[in-house]
Every structure is written in C-alpha cells, then in structure tokens.
Amino acid sequence: MEQIAANRAFGGWHRRYRHRSQTLGCDMVFAVYLPPQAEHGPVPALYWLSGLTCTDENFMQKAGAQRVAAELGMALVAPDTSPRGDDVPGDPEGAWDFGHGAGFYVDATQAPYDRHYRMYTYVTCELPALVEAHLPVDERRGISGHSMGGHGALICALRNPGRYRSVSVFAPIGNPTSCPWGHKAFSRYLGEDQAAWRDWDACELITRNAGQGEVLPILVDQGTADSFLDEQLKPEVLARTCEAAGHPLNLRLQPGYDHSYYFIASFIEDHLRHHAAALIG
C-alpha cells in the first residue's frame, strides 16, 4: 500500500492509498477515513460502493459523512468503481455507463472483461483483507452504496451471510435484470444467457434466500424526483420482492430529492447510525 494523500478531518484522518490488485490485475486507488478512536485500537468499518462514473473521491468529498463517523468511531472505506488503466478494456464506444467507472460489482465471465472486471471479489475479499491487515480496522463490517453501488452493496450482503453486520443503500439498481443499465452491463460482463444474471440481482437473491435463516434488515432511501426512478431503479419491485419473501425492508421515499449527492448528504447520518447500531451497539 502506497499512501498518496492524507487530510486531517474531525480529529481523524482521510487517507488515499494505491496498491496493486491481484484480483483485478491493475493498480487500484481507495480511500479510508479513520476516526480519532482508531488511534487507540481497531474500529469497525462501513464499506461504501459508489455509482456509475464515480471514483473513491465522490463519497469522501461530497457526502459529509466524516463528522458523524468521527462521533461514532466508525471507519469509512471507499473503493473505486472499476478497474482502470491502459491495459483495462472500457466501453468500445466510449459510453459512460459501461467499462471504466462502471464495473457493476460483478465478476465478469466474458472476454475481454473477465481478466480485469472482478469487482465483486475485490470489494468482498481482497480489499477488506488488505485494510484489516494494515490499518486499525477490524472485522465488524457494514456495507452501503448508491445507485450501481447500491446494487453492489445489496448483492455483497445477500451473497455472503455473516460477512457483513448491516446493509443500507441509496437509490439502488435493485432489479438489474429488468432495466437497461443492467441489461447492457450483464450481457457484456456475463454473457447473453440471462439465467447467469440472476446470481447478481438483489431481487432474485432475496427470493432465493427466503426462509433460509437470519437476514439483514435493509434500509433504502429513494428520492421521488430521481430522473432514473421509473426506468432504471424500480424500488417498487424491490419492495414487492421483500414483502413476498418476508425480508425486512425500510423503504423511505423522500419527496423532491433527486439522484445527486445533495440527496445522499441529506440522509447519510441516518444510514451511519443504522450501521453503528449493528456494528457498535
């Protein structure tokens, strides 16, 4: 790990690191906010997965999460949203919703993307192992995210019972097998067989896991003025799926809010306290 930036914030430290990812076959950058309590021993961590076109910097600079994280004694870990570099293929047409900045938190099976686009394994295995080995962060993990990152947070939690103690999301792509963003990404990363897509769809996983043991309650905030609401996000599908499966869901529709970080900053404190209740008690 090479530290490339450090900023004092609310008594703690925001740090950025670069490392060589064996999972992704390229250099990766991630950010960590360590609260002041980390100077005295390991603290729990909330892993934040950002949305399309974002990097590690969007959440750390715009969400306003550090003040509450410092109060609670919780680290924040923000990876990038995809592998990057000259050797990493992007969208052949240069589109913003696929390739660089749009890894969709899946493990690709289709060439040429299968060599690098393994963001699911990176965020669930390689990155936590690295953070917990080298920083004062322990194995008490929560996971959250926005939009594409909301999709990522949901599937990471649903596919790994016991790995995370809490999950929450903002405006998630909750049913990617039924929306244009999901169809584009999954067909290229996973192939044309839509049966293979179901392993990466939160609604499919919730239905499949129904009645199979203890589940994590899901907190969702969704703005009603979100321009992607009807075509891409479809929170009502997630709500119906959770109701049918008996999966606890707190879906909060926020009048007038859009898809931006103004929306995230308005409700991030609620989410941090949701995670602290599970991670710290």
Side-chain angles (χ1 to χ4, degrees):
M1 284 170 45
E2 173 195 2
Q3 182 174 293
I4 57 176
N7 303 94
R8 193 76 164 153
F10 297 99
W13 286 94
H14 167 262
R15 303 183 187 275
R16 297 184 77 210
Y17 295 94
R18 180 185 294 113
H19 74 107
R20 184 70 181 179
S21 169
Q22 299 303 310
T23 301
L24 304 178
C26 64
D27 289 345
M28 291 294 286
V29 173
F30 68 93
V32 178
Y33 175 71
L34 294 172
Q37 294 86 342
E39 296 181 4
H40 307 290
V43 296
L46 176 64
Y47 288 79
W48 173 269
L49 307 184
S50 292
L52 289 163
T53 75
C54 291
T55 69
D56 65 286
E57 295 184 286
N58 296 75
F59 176 75
M60 290 298 193
Q61 293 180 2
K62 297 180 179 180
Q66 291 90 341
R67 177 185 60 81
V68 179
E71 173 195 331
L72 297 172
M74 180 191 305
L76 305 171
V77 182
D80 203 345
T81 50
S82 76
R84 298 180 193 266
D86 293 338
D87 296 332
V88 177
D91 189 295
E93 300 174 354
W96 61 272
D97 57 356
F98 182 80
H100 297 166
F104 262 83
Y105 305 103
V106 302
D107 283 352
T109 59
Q110 304 299 301
Y113 304 105
D114 54 341
R115 180 182 172 192
H116 297 285
Y117 284 80
R118 304 181 67 238
M119 286 298 295
Y120 168 77
T121 295
Y122 176 71
V123 300
T124 58
C125 297
E126 184 178 16
L127 182 61
L130 186 71
V131 168
E132 292 162 13
H134 295 282
L135 297 172
V137 172
D138 60 33
E139 296 182 355
R140 292 173 292 169
R141 309 179 196 102
I143 192 162
S144 186
H146 170 232
S147 194
M148 178 186 72
H151 143 76
L154 290 174
I155 62 167
C156 288
L158 291 166
R159 288 171 60 110
N160 294 278
R163 186 180 297 264
Y164 303 97
R165 299 189 184 186
S166 55
V167 59
S168 75
V169 289
F170 290 81
I173 307 172
N175 188 208
T177 58
S178 71
C179 76
W181 280 340
H183 275 250
K184 181 175 182 177
F186 287 5
S187 63
R188 298 184 184 187
Y189 290 139
L190 306 173
E192 295 295 341
D193 181 6
Q194 296 191 15
W197 302 1
R198 296 171 187 162
D199 290 341
W200 307 98
D201 185 301
C203 287
E204 296 283 349
L205 294 170
I206 289 167
T207 300
R208 184 185 307 171
N209 295 343
Q212 296 188 19
E214 187 175 354
V215 297
L216 294 178
I218 302 170
L219 171 62
V220 179
D221 272 308
Q222 173 64 62
T224 63
D226 192 319
S227 60
F228 303 115
L229 182 62
D230 296 328
E231 184 179 25
Q232 305 283 9
L233 307 178
K234 304 182 180 181
E236 70 282 356
V237 179
L238 180 63
R240 288 198 304 266
T241 301
C242 286
E243 183 177 10
H247 194 116
L249 171 71
N250 182 11
L251 171 59
R252 308 193 310 182
L253 298 177
Q254 304 294 357
Y257 284 87
D258 58 19
H259 202 68
S260 71
Y261 265 86
Y262 295 107
F263 161 56
I264 294 170
S266 298
F267 301 102
I268 191 64
E269 180 170 351
D270 291 352
H271 285 244
L272 293 177
R273 296 192 184 281
H274 166 82
H275 289 279
L279 299 176
I280 303 170

